[in-house]
Amino acid sequence: SGGTATPLFSSVSIAASGTYTMYARAEKPADVDPGNDEIQGTFVVLAPLCGVYLVGTGQPAPFDRLTTAVARLVELGVGCAVEFQLTDASYSAGETFPITIDPIPGASAVNTFTLRPAPAATVAISGSSATSVIRLNGADHVIIDGSNDGTSTRDLTITNTSSAASTAALWLSSLGAGAGCTFDTLRNCTLSCGTDQASGVTATYGVLASGASCNETSDGADNDDITLLNNSIVRVRNGIWIRGAA
């Protein structure tokens, strides 16, 4: 009487998404209080993301903020090509910078992830970060396309308002040999940082590809096959800085 025991259960994989109920029951001969023999709880199994998702104010969580939408992307991965369409004019308050895209489970040349403004939207992602506003952290097959209509218009601005040195708008960071950012694309965007270079020499970057540190001396192994196309980079000391590893 009054003793405790910790049961161990084998792990199980559930392939189908949905809401499940779990039951746990203990049985003992001549149990004097059978009313407390069973507990139950529910849990939800979520499927990988697939298709187009609107991200912005008024969307169901976690797609009401870009930070949380990206966290869900990295958590669940992708089952087909995924596109986040930004519906708000500004992504600043309520966001956590840098918005970090870690390796995406299931990403491939077919199952790409695209971040872009929604049709007719003009979007600014802006905040003060000691590193960058957006960070691709060993992520592959990511497309950031600033055009809201699939042409060459620049409808997305990414700004790091920090005045500190070694800061960037976009940072591609390698996780090590064989684990860099690969097959990523940045196109049709405007990028800027927080220091007026007319009156200073603070090292800032529109696009920085490096290693684990956001600076020009950190070796970034295997950040390969990166496409930068039709971007406007202003108010930075170094427009594009790419440092590899020997």
Side-chain angles (χ1 to χ4, degrees):
S1 175
T4 62
T6 302
L8 300 177
F9 300 95
S10 301
S11 62
V12 62
S13 296
I14 300 175
S17 60
T19 300
Y20 293 82
T21 302
M22 177 176 63
Y23 299 89
R25 182 174 179 81
E27 295 181 352
K28 181 181 179 181
D31 189 348
V32 297
D33 188 8
N36 65 356
D37 287 357
E38 182 177 284
I39 60 172
Q40 69 180 64
T42 60
F43 62 94
V44 178
V45 176
L46 299 174
L49 301 187
C50 183
V52 176
Y53 297 80
L54 301 181
V55 178
T57 304
Q59 300 302 319
F63 298 101
D64 53 339
R65 294 191 295 130
L66 182 55
T67 302
T68 51
V70 166
R72 177 60 59 88
L73 168 76
V74 172
E75 176 188 17
L76 299 182
V78 297
C80 73
V82 169
E83 181 172 292
F84 283 2
Q85 294 187 357
L86 304 177
T87 59
D88 291 348
S90 175
Y91 295 79
S92 182
E95 303 292 349
T96 301
F97 298 108
I99 296 172
T100 300
I101 305 176
D102 292 317
I104 302 169
S108 68
V110 174
N111 295 348
T112 57
F113 167 64
T114 300
L115 178 68
R116 70 183 321 145
T122 300
V123 177
I125 304 172
S126 176
S128 180
S129 169
T131 55
S132 62
V133 170
I134 296 179
R135 178 183 184 183
L136 305 188
N137 188 37
D140 305 329
H141 302 288
V142 174
I143 302 167
I144 301 176
D145 186 348
S147 177
N148 63 17
D149 62 6
T151 63
S152 59
T153 60
R154 297 191 188 111
D155 306 303
L156 175 61
T157 300
I158 304 170
T159 303
N160 191 343
T161 60
S162 171
S163 60
S166 298
T167 54
L170 174 67
W171 174 27
L172 297 88
S173 57
S174 171
L175 295 175
C181 297
T182 62
F183 301 105
D184 296 325
T185 298
L186 175 74
R187 61 178 178 242
N188 306 320
C189 294
T190 299
L191 302 98
S192 64
C193 287
T195 300
D196 184 356
Q197 296 298 323
S199 58
V201 293
T202 301
T204 57
Y205 313 89
V207 178
L208 173 66
S210 66
S213 298
C214 186
N215 59 55
E216 60 196 52
T217 63
S218 178
D219 293 344
D222 296 315
N223 287 324
D224 300 328
D225 297 289
I226 307 301
T227 300
L228 305 172
L229 179 66
N230 191 42
N231 300 293
S232 174
I233 303 176
V234 298
R235 202 180 169 87
V236 297
R237 192 67 180 174
N238 305 287
I240 301 170
W241 190 287
I242 298 176
R243 183 180 177 94

